[in-house]
Amino acid sequence: MATISFRKNTITQLRNEQGTWMQDHEGKAGIIWNAFRNRMGVTEEPTMLYNLASLFTRHEDLSCLVEPFTHEEIDNIVRRMPVDKAPGSDGFNGLFLKKCWHIIKEDFYRLCDSFFGGNVNLESVNSSFITSVPKHNNPESVNDFRPISLLNSSLKLLTKILADRLQQVILQLIHRYQYDFIRSRTIQDCLAWCFEFIHQCHQSRREIVILKLDFEKAFDTVEHNTILSVMQHMGFPDTWIHWIRLIFSSGTSAVLLNGVPRKKICCKRSVR
């Protein structure tokens, strides 16, 4: 099965911006690396022109996000980890963590305690591989591939702890019609609303314009400072914002081409 998947996802050739086909490894690797560096490895340092205080309601009751990590909380994260996900650059997946947890758990407890105190350097563990999965048959350019980040197990554990805590309060923070990445909601609900809205438009028998907006490479190009500013105006605790800044500032990614990693890219924007 793994061999079949590898053959299916093997990139044999790529077209560069000038329309020339590249078939040698270095030529293809250069195209992919430059594309992801321009997405994630640069920052435009934009100036916020909106008054965020008027756009977001400030929440004063988010202290539950920064309570001390407990061993039970960490154990539950490991217990729920899938066992068949591809590993990151450290080579460890959920199956390894579960099988060896009784041996390695004390090391992970110390990592979580250091992260909680904000006195840890994450550069050695905050790296990822980016693998490219074709969106359709016969892909030609980098945009025809869907990037998937494979995080190290240590950072994955930390981010899952934060994500779990955020899920407890997320419904207080977002719009009621936001559906994606929320456990109690599904994107299919959004599609149902769209069909219902179109049906009502037809029933009204009036001239109506429906506008669909899609932000190109939204997750790959969102600025870190923008995310931090929004969280600050929404009332997230300073400790939480410091944690997110630690993760953002130490992240690096290496793009895989047919299983071979390229040199690392310092992630100055995007979320992985």
Side-chain angles (χ1 to χ4, degrees), residues 23-239:
Q23 297 180 331
D24 63 291
H25 181 85
E26 284 303 314
K28 293 181 293 184
I31 294 175
I32 295 177
W33 188 86
N34 286 325
F36 280 97
R37 181 186 177 278
N38 292 334
R39 291 183 197 173
M40 307 166 56
V42 298
T43 175
E44 298 178 357
E45 299 182 355
T47 300
M48 180 58 66
L49 301 178
Y50 296 102
N51 183 359
L52 296 181
S54 64
L55 291 176
F56 297 103
T57 301
R58 185 174 183 84
H59 300 267
E60 304 295 344
D61 56 347
L62 299 179
S63 59
C64 62
L65 295 175
V66 293
E67 293 179 353
F69 303 140
T70 66
H71 291 182
E72 181 182 4
E73 181 181 15
I74 300 170
D75 292 344
N76 287 334
I77 294 294
V78 175
R79 194 174 296 117
R80 299 202 312 267
M81 276 189 174
V83 299
D84 56 349
K85 296 294 184 180
S89 55
D90 60 359
F92 302 136
N93 61 4
L95 180 62
F96 168 81
L97 291 182
K98 291 184 177 183
K99 292 291 186 180
C100 301
W101 187 241
H102 64 287
I103 302 173
I104 62 178
K105 62 181 180 181
E106 294 298 331
D107 293 321
F108 278 89
Y109 291 158
R110 285 192 290 270
L111 171 64
C112 292
D113 289 341
S114 298
F115 178 74
F116 180 85
N119 54 1
V120 63
N121 187 340
L122 295 177
E123 290 183 3
S124 60
V125 297
N126 192 4
S127 60
S128 71
F129 283 150
I130 298 178
T131 184
S132 301
V133 179
K135 298 179 181 178
H136 52 76
N137 295 330
N138 303 319
E140 296 184 356
S141 68
V142 177
N143 291 334
D144 294 329
F145 293 86
R146 180 176 292 105
I148 299 176
S149 286
L150 308 176
L151 294 176
N152 279 343
S153 56
S154 302
L155 189 78
K156 188 179 295 184
L157 177 67
L158 293 174
T159 54
K160 282 183 176 294
I161 292 174
L162 300 187
D164 260 29
R165 292 190 169 189
L166 186 58
Q167 286 288 344
Q168 298 174 14
V169 299
I170 193 68
L171 296 182
Q172 307 172 28
L173 308 176
I174 62 172
H175 196 277
R176 59 179 178 175
Y177 293 138
Q178 184 172 340
Y179 292 94
D180 213 4
F181 305 112
I182 310 300
R183 286 179 181 171
S184 58
R185 304 176 184 178
T186 65
I187 194 65
Q188 285 77 14
D189 294 334
C190 187
L191 295 175
W193 276 110
C194 291
F195 284 120
E196 176 63 24
F197 183 70
I198 293 174
H199 174 72
Q200 293 182 8
C201 291
H202 284 301
Q203 293 295 109
S204 67
R205 299 184 181 278
R206 293 182 298 172
E207 293 184 356
I208 297 176
V209 175
I210 299 177
L211 180 63
K212 177 183 180 297
L213 299 178
D214 185 20
F215 294 96
E216 183 181 10
K217 309 299 179 188
F219 290 103
D220 292 341
T221 57
V222 61
E223 296 283 346
H224 293 168
N225 286 336
T226 300
I227 297 175
L228 296 173
S229 296
V230 169
M231 288 194 297
Q232 183 179 16
H233 281 83
M234 294 181 75
F236 280 81
D238 292 339
T239 300

